[in-house]
Amino acid sequence: NADQIWSAWDRNPASLFNAEIQNVWIYSPELKKCLLSGSALTYRPVIGNCVNSNAAKWEIPKSQDGFFKSLKSGWYLRVSNIDQRTIIMSDTLDQSSIIKYDKTKKSIISLLETSKCLGRMNSNTNESRLTLNVCNNAQNDQKWEIRTVFP
């Protein structure tokens, strides 16, 4: 059938699709900003002002490992090119959409490349677009907190 697409997964996809979820803010305590959805499908997520509405809220697994969905747009974080460090908003769910919050490092990573962390495209500016940078604990823009109450 031409409408069927097959892919191999490193884990049982049912565990991701059936995960217990929670609504959260993904907050940068160093920058006092929140993770926000990109403004259009395939646009990069951005860092911006936290608001107490779905505009800044995400639906994520309680395990903090799986699909991260923006409540504003309904789109998911997804790595479109790990070599170019590109993360976008997408309506596609596959292994490139599996995101993990590392509680120890307080960083958001892709399971495609765990040495790359979510941060600003240019850490030395007020750039709002985000990318996957080589993890560096000294970079304030790579530190995140998952919060169930408004920051």
Side-chain angles (χ1 to χ4, degrees), residues 14 32-33 54 85 95-96 105 107-108 114 124 135 142:
K32 299 185 179 5
K33 302 272 184 185
N54 284 353
R85 306 175 297 123
Q95 288 195 96
S96 298
K105 295 179 185 175
S107 59
I108 296 171
T114 58
N124 300 321
C135 295
Q142 293 182 16

Side-chain angles (χ1 to χ4, degrees), residues 77-102:
L77 289 177
R78 182 173 181 271
V79 177
S80 67
N81 187 317
I82 194 64
D83 295 327
Q84 293 181 2
R85 306 175 297 123
T86 308
I87 189 163
I88 62 170
M89 303 307 303
S90 177
D91 56 4
T92 302
L93 290 176
D94 59 20
Q95 288 195 96
S96 298
S97 307
I98 302 172
I99 305 298
K100 180 178 175 69
Y101 178 68
D102 184 319

